[in-house]
Amino acid sequence: MLNRFTTDYLDTLGRADFRPVARVAGRLASYDGLLMEAVGLSLPVGTVCQVGESHGRTVEAEVIGFRNGRTLMMNLGGPAALLPQAPVRPIGAPGQAEVGAALLGRVVDGAGKPIDGLGPIRGAGHWPLAGHIQSPLDRGRVREPMDVGVRAINGLLTVGQGQRVGIMAGSGVGKSVLLGMIVRAAQADVVVIGLIGERSREVADFLETKVAGEARARSVVVAVPANHSPVLRIRGALRATAIAEAFRAEGKKVLLIMDSLTRVAHAGREIGLALGESASARGYPPSAIAMLPNLIERAGTCVSSGGSITAIYTVLADGDDGNDPVVDSARSILDGHIVLNRALAERGVYPAIDIGPSVSRVMTDIVGPDHIAASRVLRRHLATYEENRDLVLMGAYRPGADPAIDTAIACHDAIMAYIRQDADETVSLTDAVTELTGVFGEG
């Protein structure tokens, strides 16, 4: 026993590079159910701490700021029976996400812990949650189209590899169903799905119906339901983006799905208001809106690796308001947006894509002139019909009075048939373009 003490302990103390490390701990000074204040600690933002006695019920919290010499933390777990002066100890360094092929087919939460019952994740690499800062010149142009399996998008709103697109709609108009159609048919090496702030039921439903079979083997899912901490919801969005960035650095074509960007902004609003920020646009503090560009700009193509992240974000328009601060901010940053119309959904048109206000900002760079000309003809006929829809339905329009209106009326059924598509149907990019140019290609 004495020999073991000598070799293991005294020899360690005798090393020239030995440095004793003090155990850092503080005390809980304030707690209102979400925001905590600790004294006696000096930790960087993002550090995960354990609050409570180690032999009793503890809760994890993340450092989010500082105020008047106190460390501000946000609760990451549920309610806990914490007492004043409870010990606070750091347990995790800030800003790292597990990444790599070990995550394929797995489902993790906002903290990176597996929740699929398949055991721990082994052999994963690490990537900063905040990503690596890239020069604008390190980003390549979007040059190749991506087949998403949806006729209306492939033909009229063609998505390119490395593009950032928003699906904007109110609640219950079909955003999740459209995402499922895209996930099943998308031509990508890896699919990273972030289910942020949605209902727990939708998480299980999305996994069983939209990411089943072959798609599951090439997918990574980060699921953080609405009842989780706002810090975990933001970490979930950052984690999904970091996983996609790591695959892009390997030269892979990645499809990043995030449902929804608005819930991420809601989490930022909760944290900002808890920190005392003043609410500005419709209750959103400036930090909540400013967070969106930092998240969205991480997607795109990479010149050095040749990989790309094609990102599709759902954006919930509260009250079907297209001028909602989150919708307006996302629309100005994204490379295109797909608007879903409740009136179309009520008429049984699914997916309820409103072609008029929807746009793909890279479509003219990745498709041929015949394709562009046919899509503009369809858009022109649809706009003419919608402008005169009330006159036609009331019988106030006399056929022959305007050739443009007559043509729009004659083409309307073909346009609606082109937009409609069953949820389990897949239409390739080639078929969508062939049908579009065949019907509308002669102008």
Side-chain angles (χ1 to χ4, degrees), residues 368-388:
D370 294 340
H371 184 177
I372 295 174
S375 67
R376 287 174 178 172
V377 169
L378 186 149
R379 283 177 172 271
R380 184 170 67 246
H381 291 333
L382 182 59
T384 301
Y385 182 87
E386 292 298 332
E387 289 173 359
N388 299 276

Side-chain angles (χ1 to χ4, degrees), residues 31 33-36 59-62 73-80 82 228-232:
Y31 176 41
L34 186 65
L35 187 67
M36 304 179 181
V59 66
E60 291 186 358
E62 180 178 329
M73 303 179 297
M74 187 72 76
N75 188 0
L76 292 179
L82 299 176
H228 285 214
S229 162
V231 176
L232 277 181

Side-chain angles (χ1 to χ4, degrees), residues 396-412:
Y397 173 74
R398 180 172 57 84
D402 189 329
I405 299 178
D406 293 337
T407 305
I409 295 173
C411 294
H412 187 67

Side-chain angles (χ1 to χ4, degrees), residues 170-226:
S171 57
V173 186
K175 297 187 297 299
S176 297
V177 175
L178 181 57
L179 281 183
M181 297 171 67
I182 295 173
V183 169
R184 283 194 299 269
Q187 301 298 312
D189 298 327
V190 179
V191 180
V192 181
I193 304 168
L195 302 176
I196 312 298
E198 297 300 319
R199 295 180 287 272
S200 298
R201 177 194 61 79
E202 282 194 347
V203 174
D205 179 74
F206 198 95
L207 293 175
E208 294 181 8
T209 60
K210 278 80 172 179
V211 200
E214 182 183 352
R216 183 69 176 268
R218 59 188 176 100
S219 301
V220 182
V221 180
V222 181
V224 191

Side-chain angles (χ1 to χ4, degrees), residues 29-50:
S30 173
Y31 176 41
D32 62 2
L34 186 65
L35 187 67
M36 304 179 181
E37 296 185 10
V39 295
L41 280 175
S42 180
L43 301 171
V45 171
T47 304
V48 178
C49 299
Q50 183 184 74

Side-chain angles (χ1 to χ4, degrees), residues 46-407:
T47 304
V48 178
C49 299
Q50 183 184 74
V51 185
E53 298 290 347
S54 58
H55 58 272
R57 178 69 184 273
T58 62
V59 66
E60 291 186 358
E62 180 178 329
V63 177
I64 61 172
F66 312 96
R67 180 191 298 148
N68 298 327
R70 295 186 173 189
T71 300
L72 305 181
M73 303 179 297
M74 187 72 76
N75 188 0
L76 292 179
L82 299 176
L83 296 174
Q85 302 302 312
V88 179
R89 299 183 179 90
I91 59 173
Q96 292 292 320
E98 293 75 19
V99 298
L103 274 76
L104 292 175
R106 302 303 302 270
V107 184
V108 299
D109 62 9
K113 300 176 182 177
I115 57 175
D116 50 10
L118 300 179
I121 298 173
R122 304 185 187 279
H126 292 86
W127 193 271
L129 276 175
H132 295 295
I133 298 177
Q134 281 188 308
S135 165
L137 297 181
D138 293 335
R139 296 294 179 87
R141 293 182 58 195
V142 178
R143 297 180 180 275
E144 298 180 15
M146 170 176 277
D147 188 353
V148 297
V150 181
R151 184 192 295 110
I153 298 177
N154 281 339
L156 304 172
L157 303 163
T158 311
V159 175
Q161 294 178 10
Q163 184 177 357
R164 292 85 52 86
V165 183
I167 299 178
M168 302 176 176
S171 57
V173 186
K175 297 187 297 299
S176 297
V177 175
L178 181 57
L179 281 183
M181 297 171 67
I182 295 173
V183 169
R184 283 194 299 269
Q187 301 298 312
D189 298 327
V190 179
V191 180
V192 181
I193 304 168
L195 302 176
I196 312 298
E198 297 300 319
R199 295 180 287 272
S200 298
R201 177 194 61 79
E202 282 194 347
V203 174
D205 179 74
F206 198 95
L207 293 175
E208 294 181 8
T209 60
K210 278 80 172 179
V211 200
E214 182 183 352
R216 183 69 176 268
R218 59 188 176 100
S219 301
V220 182
V221 180
V222 181
V224 191
N227 60 333
H228 285 214
S229 162
V231 176
L232 277 181
R233 278 177 263 156
I234 293 179
R235 287 176 73 96
L238 296 175
R239 186 173 300 277
T241 307
I243 293 172
E245 284 180 320
F247 281 116
R248 179 182 62 185
E250 298 176 4
K252 297 184 182 297
K253 298 176 182 178
V254 184
L255 175 64
L256 172 62
I257 301 285
M258 192 166 296
D259 185 16
S260 73
L261 194 66
T262 305
R263 304 301 187 191
V264 178
H266 287 177
R269 177 172 62 185
E270 292 181 45
I271 295 175
L273 294 178
L275 288 173
E277 284 190 65
S278 59
S280 53
R282 302 199 182 180
Y284 288 96
S287 63
I289 302 300
M291 175 178 56
L292 302 181
N294 295 330
L295 186 65
I296 295 172
E297 280 296 316
R298 292 169 62 179
T301 59
C302 180
V303 174
S304 59
S305 69
S308 64
I309 299 177
T310 306
I312 300 179
Y313 304 93
T314 64
V315 185
L316 177 65
D318 291 332
D320 291 343
D321 184 6
N323 295 320
D324 179 84
V326 178
V327 175
D328 193 52
S329 177
R331 186 167 48 219
S332 65
I333 304 165
L334 294 168
D335 301 321
H337 50 273
I338 301 169
V339 179
L340 303 186
N341 191 306
R342 189 177 299 276
L344 287 175
E346 292 172 351
R347 296 203 296 265
V349 178
Y350 287 99
I353 299 176
D354 194 348
I355 301 299
S358 302
V359 66
S360 173
R361 295 179 179 173
V362 304
M363 180 175 174
T364 55
D365 298 329
I366 58 177
V367 302
D370 294 340
H371 184 177
I372 295 174
S375 67
R376 287 174 178 172
V377 169
L378 186 149
R379 283 177 172 271
R380 184 170 67 246
H381 291 333
L382 182 59
T384 301
Y385 182 87
E386 292 298 332
E387 289 173 359
N388 299 276
R389 177 183 178 84
D390 293 339
L391 293 177
V392 174
L393 294 180
M394 290 187 301
Y397 173 74
R398 180 172 57 84
D402 189 329
I405 299 178
D406 293 337
T407 305

